[in-house]
Amino acid sequence: SAECQNSSNYPSRVRIGDNVIFIGTINLDETTKDISDRLLDRSFVISLTKQDFTVFENEQVDEVRKTFSIEEYKCRDAVTYLEWKDNKSKNKVLLEEDLVFFDEVHAAIKQIDAQKGVSFRALRNIRNYLANIPSRKVDSVVEIMIPKRESIDVLFKQSILIKLKGSENQLAQLLGHIDQNTKTYVAGTLVRILDKYKTISDFTVSRDDIKRKVEEMSIYGFTR
């Protein structure tokens, strides 16, 4: 059996502070199991897309030229991090219109599956994410690095749409379907809600993901 030579010098357990963020990767295909809704409520799933090779090459060149100090991005301790995060999260980033939008989405999803919807935990994560998007000064003007309209779109896809998986019979009313005669996409309840709230976001990323799910259902009878 293994023997720890320095066990007297170090504790058997190490407390992990809230300033430690875990990032992992997973394949989402037929070789893996679905991620549970419980886990999805506690995390963001980012689907990576392939960049053009020209863009990638230019970024590699730019990265070599960059010089920066790690100290700029370090947080001294968990207390400092939590104080910063708390202050940022108190900003009112979700307006009443945003909340009404998520209420309508929740009601629409509940109609097809009483166990799903927009959870309080997911909405809190979305709020905290929006509150903590970095900003920068451009010509003395403070700009949010990712505009709220774009962020809401991506967060909606990562937090809400990712939970919508199942058969065509279950999801066609919510997501829409492909008309077999014209081979065109017919919008469901969810897209009609996105249309209603264009003032919040164009939901370009989310619309593409919904259509992808509908195409999968049309071909396989199921989407994940």
Side-chain angles (χ1 to χ4, degrees):
S1 61
E3 182 180 349
C4 185
Q5 300 294 333
N6 57 1
S7 58
S8 60
N9 299 328
Y10 299 96
S12 58
R13 294 186 178 185
V14 177
R15 184 180 179 277
I16 298 176
D18 288 336
N19 60 325
V20 178
I21 300 173
F22 290 93
I23 300 173
T25 61
I26 183 174
N27 292 329
L28 292 176
D29 54 28
E30 69 282 356
T31 66
T32 60
K33 293 183 178 180
D34 287 336
I35 304 174
S36 70
D37 285 355
R38 283 178 175 271
L39 177 58
L40 292 174
D41 276 344
R42 292 163 171 77
S43 60
F44 287 112
V45 176
I46 303 172
S47 300
L48 302 179
T49 55
K50 177 186 169 297
Q51 288 183 319
D52 293 337
F53 291 122
T54 51
V55 174
F56 174 77
E57 186 63 23
N58 289 334
E59 285 185 351
Q60 296 304 299
V61 172
D62 290 341
E63 195 65 32
V64 172
R65 293 173 182 161
K66 284 180 185 175
T67 56
F68 61 91
S69 170
I70 292 294
E71 296 301 320
E72 295 178 48
Y73 301 94
K74 282 181 68 175
C75 196
R76 291 190 300 277
D77 51 47
V79 174
T80 306
Y81 169 78
L82 289 174
E83 287 175 351
W84 172 82
K85 185 179 177 184
D86 278 346
N87 290 333
K88 298 275 280 187
S89 299
K90 286 174 185 174
N91 298 337
K92 189 165 182 173
V93 291
L94 286 176
L95 306 178
E96 183 175 353
E97 185 183 26
D98 302 328
L99 298 175
V100 173
F101 162 71
F102 282 111
D103 275 336
E104 286 199 29
V105 169
H106 176 73
I109 296 174
K110 291 282 284 185
Q111 283 187 347
I112 60 108
D113 190 337
Q115 301 300 315
K116 292 187 181 293
V118 182
S119 69
F120 285 104
R121 188 186 295 271
L123 194 63
R124 184 185 65 189
N125 287 341
I126 289 172
R127 183 200 66 201
N128 289 342
Y129 188 104
L130 290 171
N132 288 281
I133 293 175
S135 58
R136 60 186 172 188
K137 272 192 176 182
V138 178
D139 297 329
S140 301
V141 177
V142 177
E143 292 184 355
I144 304 251
M145 293 184 71
I146 308 175
K148 183 181 174 182
R149 291 179 62 84
E150 295 179 20
S151 302
I152 284 278
D153 183 14
V154 173
L155 293 170
F156 184 74
K157 173 183 178 291
Q158 292 175 182
S159 301
I160 312 303
L161 293 183
I162 194 169
K163 294 182 185 177
L164 301 181
K165 48 201 172 188
S167 68
E168 189 171 12
N169 288 337
Q170 291 174 297
L171 298 175
Q173 176 186 340
L174 182 68
L175 298 180
H177 66 278
I178 302 295
D179 186 296
Q180 296 304 318
N181 295 320
T182 61
K183 304 299 181 185
T184 57
Y185 169 68
V186 179
T189 308
L190 203 52
V191 169
R192 290 195 289 272
I193 294 175
L194 300 185
D195 290 339
K196 181 179 176 181
Y197 289 92
K198 285 183 179 177
T199 51
I200 294 176
S201 173
D202 295 325
F203 293 106
T204 306
V205 173
S206 298
R207 291 173 190 274
D208 287 344
D209 194 55
I210 289 172
K211 288 182 180 179
R212 177 192 63 78
K213 287 178 178 289
V214 171
E215 287 169 358
E216 280 186 357
M217 291 191 301
S218 178
I219 298 171
Y220 307 111
F222 185 90
T223 187
R224 59 181 295 183

